[in-house]
Amino acid sequence: MISRPHGGRLVNRVLASKRRERILEEVDEFERLNIDQGRAFDAENIAYGVYSPLEGFMLEEEFLSVLDDMRLPNDLPWTIPIVLDIDEKTAARIEPGDDVMLYYEDIPVAVLHVEEIYVYDKERFARCVFKTTDLAHPGVAKVFSMGKYLIGGRVDLINDPPNPFERYTLRPVETRVLFRERGWKTVVGFQTRNVPHLGHEYLQKSALVFVDGLFINPVIGRKKRGDFRDDVILSAYEVLLRNYYPRESAVLSIVRYEMRYAGPREAIHHAIMRKNFGCTHFIVGRDHAGVGNYYGPYEAQEIFKEFPDLGITPLFFREFFYCRKCGAIVNERVCPHDESFRLRFSGTKIREMIRSGKTPPPEFMRPEVAEAIFQFENPFVE
Amino acid sequence: MSEEKVPIYIKKELYERLKKHVKESGGFESIEEFVEFVLNEVLEEEEEEEVYSPEEEEEIKRRLRSLGYL
C-alpha cells in the first residue's frame, strides 16, 4: 500500500469555486501583502497537501519546535520552518484575526488568516537549520534578508501561482490515484534539480529493482545563474524516459519549491514531501540538498537514524562512477579498483562541456539526452 | 498536555526482547514509545486509503489520461 500522508490526512486548502468567486469579488477589500516566488510556492504546497499536515505558515510554537526538536509540537517529524516574513511597516498595519490577501506577480494567490505575528532570532534560525551563520551560504543569506517578523496562520489558495509547466504538474491527490491505478504498492521518489547523467540513471534503476515504481520529481523554482533551465531538465528527462525506462515503471512530474540548501535537514523535508505524494521509499545519495562544503558527503543519510517514525523508507546510495577496469557504472561497494580507473560524474564538468559545445562522453551521459540539451540555444539560466 | 494511558500486559520474555531492541536501536526513548509507534503503524496500514467521491476520482483520472499518465 502506498504511504499514508504525513500526519494521517492529506491537507486540502484549495478554495472551492463558489467561495473563491465570492472572495475574488471582494478582493480589493483585503489587506494586500506581496510575497516572493518561494513563499507563493509554499502557499501552493500547503494548499495541495504537499506539506501535510501543515495548513498554513507556522505559528511561533511550531517554528521553535521545528528549530529545536526537528518536530512539530505534536511530535511529528518536521525539519524545515515554513514561515512567512514581514517587515516592521507591514507588521504595524496587520493584526491577528485579519484576513490578508497574498499576491505574487500581481495575482491574488491565497488568503492568509492571520493568527500570530512574532519576532524571531535570525541567527538561531540559521544555526539550527543550516548549521552555520556564514552569509556565503545561500540559505543563511536568505534568512538574514528576511523581514523582522513572522506572520503565521492558515492559508486558503485562490489561484495557483503562474505555472509554465502545468502539463508536468501533478498534485498529491493525483499521484496517489495514479500509483494505485498502475498497481504500484511500493514507489521510490527521486529528487533532482539537474539534467540526468548516467550516475543518476543507475541510482534510480538500482532503487527500481526493489520497488514497483519510480517517481522522478524535479524541483522547479529559483535557480542560480549557470544552472540548467527548468525546461531543459524536463526535456532531458523526457528523452531519457522514452529511450531507457519501461513506460509502466516510471513517472515524471514536478514539484514547485524553493531549495533551502539545508543539507541533512532538507533531506528529511524532501522525504516528507514525497511521502505526501504517496511514495513509500526515497533515494538519498551523496551530499543531498547540500551546497559548498557545509555538510559531510553522507550527513544527509545519517540524520535519518533520528527519525525511525518518519513513515517513508530512505534508500541510501554511495556515489556512482564509471570504472574503466570494470567497464561499467559502479560504486565503491562493488568496485575494487583504484581512483586512476574511475571517472567521477561531475555536474560542473558536464556543464563546462555543454557550454563549449562538446558532447559529454557516453560513459557520462546518454547521447539522446545530450542531443536534447543541445536543441536549446542557451540551456543555462542567465 | 498529558494523554490518558492504560496498562497492557505482555509476556515477560517479549518485554525483555523489546527492551533489548530499544536499547540497541537507539531510535526510541522507551519501550512504551516503541510499542505505541509500532501499534499505530499497524493500525494505520489497515485503515482505508483516502476515499474520493466517484466524480472526483473520475475527474482526476480524466486529467491523468489527458496528460498521458494513464
Side-chain angles (χ1 to χ4, degrees):
Chain A
M1 187 192 287
I2 60 172
S3 273
R4 289 176 60 79
H6 200 49
R9 186 181 65 87
L10 199 61
V11 167
N12 176 8
R13 296 200 64 89
V14 183
L15 276 190
S17 57
K18 276 191 182 157
R19 238 188 108 201
R20 176 179 176 271
E21 279 164 28
R22 209 163 51 239
I23 285 181
L24 283 174
E25 278 168 19
E26 300 165 355
V27 73
D28 293 334
E29 291 170 29
F30 286 84
E31 185 70 47
R32 179 184 174 125
L33 184 59
N34 292 320
I35 56 174
D36 64 11
Q37 187 193 58
R39 264 24 65 200
F41 288 171
D42 281 345
E44 182 182 35
N45 286 333
I46 290 165
Y48 282 105
V50 179
Y51 291 169
S52 296
L54 298 194
E55 296 197 50
F57 289 102
M58 287 180 172
L59 306 180
E60 188 174 23
E61 186 194 13
E62 295 169 307
F63 171 68
L64 294 176
S65 176
V66 167
L67 286 195
D68 296 339
D69 303 327
M70 298 197 285
R71 287 175 181 270
L72 295 171
N74 66 0
D75 208 32
L76 202 62
W78 198 279
T79 49
I80 297 291
I82 304 299
V83 289
L84 177 59
D85 63 298
I86 50 173
D87 58 23
E88 278 185 272
K89 218 169 118 189
T90 310
R93 62 169 211 262
I94 298 173
E95 47 184 65
D98 288 352
D99 285 341
V100 172
M101 188 63 73
L102 306 180
Y103 279 79
Y104 170 61
E105 289 188 345
D106 224 21
I107 294 168
V109 169
V111 179
L112 169 67
H113 307 287
V114 181
E115 289 174 53
E116 203 175 28
I117 298 170
Y118 54 100
V119 288
Y120 64 107
D121 181 342
K122 292 183 181 183
E123 200 175 311
R124 181 175 171 196
F125 186 160
R127 208 176 335 101
C128 289
V129 176
F130 303 106
K131 300 176 84 172
T132 174
T133 52
D134 183 357
L135 285 169
H137 185 297
V140 175
K142 174 86 188 172
V143 167
F144 277 87
S145 73
M146 284 163 55
K148 186 179 172 184
Y149 296 90
L150 297 178
I151 182 167
R154 290 184 172 84
V155 294
D156 284 319
L157 197 76
I158 306 280
N159 289 304
D160 294 354
N163 185 358
F165 304 110
E166 193 62 52
R167 183 248 167 282
Y168 291 99
T169 307
L170 295 183
R171 311 301 183 184
V173 74
E174 294 171 322
T175 51
R176 289 171 167 273
V177 171
L178 174 60
F179 297 163
R180 200 185 63 211
E181 286 298 301
R182 288 202 175 190
W184 294 357
K185 290 197 172 3
T186 49
V187 188
V188 64
F190 182 75
Q191 140 93 29
T192 184
R193 48 191 162 110
N194 228 321
V195 296
H197 55 54
L198 261 76
H200 297 130
E201 185 180 330
Y202 272 74
L203 201 63
Q204 294 162 9
K205 287 183 171 172
S206 302
L208 192 48
V209 168
F210 301 102
V211 295
D212 300 327
L214 168 68
F215 179 55
I216 300 172
N217 196 210
V219 164
I220 300 294
R222 190 166 62 103
K223 292 221 159 36
K224 299 194 296 285
R225 196 164 165 263
D227 283 351
F228 281 103
R229 281 169 25 194
D230 291 331
D231 49 353
V232 176
I233 296 168
L234 288 169
S235 177
Y237 261 106
E238 279 279 16
V239 167
L240 182 70
L241 287 174
R242 198 162 50 239
N243 287 283
Y244 294 98
Y245 285 68
R247 192 182 179 278
E248 65 280 6
S249 302
V251 159
L252 171 67
S253 160
I254 62 165
V255 61
R256 303 203 296 164
Y257 165 80
E258 183 181 275
M259 283 292 299
R260 271 67 171 180
Y261 302 101
R265 271 196 185 232
E266 192 160 9
I268 299 291
H269 185 65
H270 287 171
I272 291 171
M273 289 198 286
R274 277 44 184 240
K275 178 185 172 187
N276 283 327
F277 279 109
C279 295
T280 52
H281 295 72
F282 182 65
I283 294 171
V284 187
R286 187 181 183 281
D287 198 22
H288 189 107
V291 64
N293 293 315
Y294 293 98
Y295 313 106
Y298 294 102
E299 212 178 322
Q301 298 183 353
E302 285 151 23
I303 194 174
F304 279 83
K305 283 185 204 141
E306 296 176 48
F307 298 95
D309 54 343
L310 194 60
I312 180 168
T313 306
L315 298 179
F316 301 139
F317 290 94
R318 307 300 282 188
E319 183 185 11
F320 281 92
F321 48 81
Y322 182 81
C323 172
R324 281 191 291 252
K325 184 89 169 168
C326 294
I329 293 168
V330 288
N331 68 15
E332 63 195 27
R333 296 192 63 180
V334 291
C335 168
H337 307 117
D338 67 46
E339 196 59 37
S340 63
F341 293 102
R342 296 175 178 182
L343 281 175
R344 301 270 173 188
F345 297 107
S346 152
T348 312
K349 210 182 283 177
I350 289 174
R351 277 193 293 275
E352 275 168 17
M353 283 180 190
I354 301 228
R355 204 180 290 283
S356 58
K358 283 185 202 149
T359 302
E363 301 87 14
F364 263 39
M365 184 177 269
R366 298 286 190 189
E368 295 89 341
V369 171
E371 203 177 302
I373 297 169
F374 280 121
Q375 295 292 316
F376 292 82
E377 198 178 327
N378 180 10
F380 300 104
V381 174
E382 292 280 342
Chain B
M1 195 177 69
S2 71
E3 287 174 273
E4 197 185 345
K5 306 233 172 184
V6 292
I8 288 178
Y9 295 95
I10 57 171
K11 286 183 182 160
K12 181 87 191 300
E13 185 255 334
L14 177 60
Y15 176 83
E16 292 301 334
R17 280 167 59 204
L18 289 173
K19 195 167 149 186
K20 187 165 173 271
H21 177 82
V22 167
K23 195 175 165 192
E24 285 170 3
S25 67
F28 294 89
E29 302 246 318
S30 65
I31 301 168
E32 186 178 288
E33 192 181 292
F34 177 69
V35 169
E36 278 191 354
F37 171 72
V38 172
L39 293 179
N40 264 321
E41 286 285 293
V42 171
L43 287 176
E44 280 185 2
E45 262 184 36
E46 287 183 357
E47 281 167 10
E48 281 281 296
E49 253 294 293
E50 55 265 86
V51 181
Y52 317 102
S53 72
E55 295 78 23
E56 284 168 336
E57 180 147 347
E58 197 39 54
E59 184 56 40
I60 290 170
K61 285 183 189 165
R62 206 170 12 250
R63 179 163 191 264
L64 291 172
R65 275 193 290 271
S66 75
L67 294 175
Y69 285 103
L70 281 180

